[in-house]
Amino acid sequence: QVQLVESGGGSVKPSGSLRLSCTSSGKYDSARSMGWFRQAPGKEREGVAAIHAEGGETYYDDSVKGRCAISQDNAKSSLYLQMNSLKPEDTAMYYCAATVPRPTIATKSYQYSYWGQGTQVTVSS
């Protein structure tokens, strides 16, 4: 069982930055795909970014490419999402997620078995 706890959300103005963090319980496993998803009110959950350390892969949704960076700290079993140049359309609840060990990166929500409770990001002037 993997427990995930997100932090770092908040309210920022357009063009601002935030760094989301996700702490994972248990031993770090490079074969897990780790991802960030978001869900805005009235919309479906969508993938933002993902990383698979063992395969050396990263994924970014087109909407955040060039503005976000996903990273991991293996020693701390932590996942991060640095978000820059934030836009009002980035407003959503952001969730950290993990898969069971797998050979390749996962980019779809159904591929993830473990989820955090979410952290709210609000971008407004």
Side-chain angles (χ1 to χ4, degrees):
Q1 189 75 8
V2 175
Q3 294 183 326
L4 304 170
V5 179
E6 304 96 334
S7 61
S11 295
V12 296
K13 294 182 178 180
S15 77
S17 298
L18 280 175
R19 188 190 193 213
L20 305 185
S21 299
C22 172
T23 301
S24 172
S25 66
K27 185 178 179 181
Y28 169 74
D29 189 338
S30 62
R32 295 186 189 275
S33 188
M34 301 291 296
W36 287 99
F37 291 78
R38 65 185 180 188
Q39 187 167 21
K43 294 187 177 182
E44 293 187 356
R45 188 172 296 187
E46 62 178 4
V48 177
I51 187 168
H52 187 269
E54 189 169 272
E57 300 174 273
T58 56
Y59 158 83
Y60 295 96
D61 184 76
D62 286 345
S63 64
V64 302
K65 277 182 181 176
R67 300 190 296 121
C68 293
I70 190 170
S71 62
Q72 286 180 295
D73 183 329
N74 303 345
K76 297 180 180 180
S77 295
S78 295
L79 179 73
Y80 305 100
L81 183 68
Q82 177 67 44
M83 302 191 296
N84 302 319
S85 302
L86 283 163
K87 305 174 181 179
E89 50 263 44
D90 293 318
T91 295
M93 184 71 77
Y94 282 71
Y95 299 90
C96 172
T99 67
V100 297
R102 52 181 287 128
T104 58
I105 196 169
T107 63
K108 305 297 184 184
S109 59
Y110 70 84
Q111 296 173 303
Y112 285 79
S113 300
Y114 306 102
W115 294 84
Q117 294 300 305
T119 185
Q120 177 68 37
V121 171
T122 302
V123 185
S124 173
S125 56

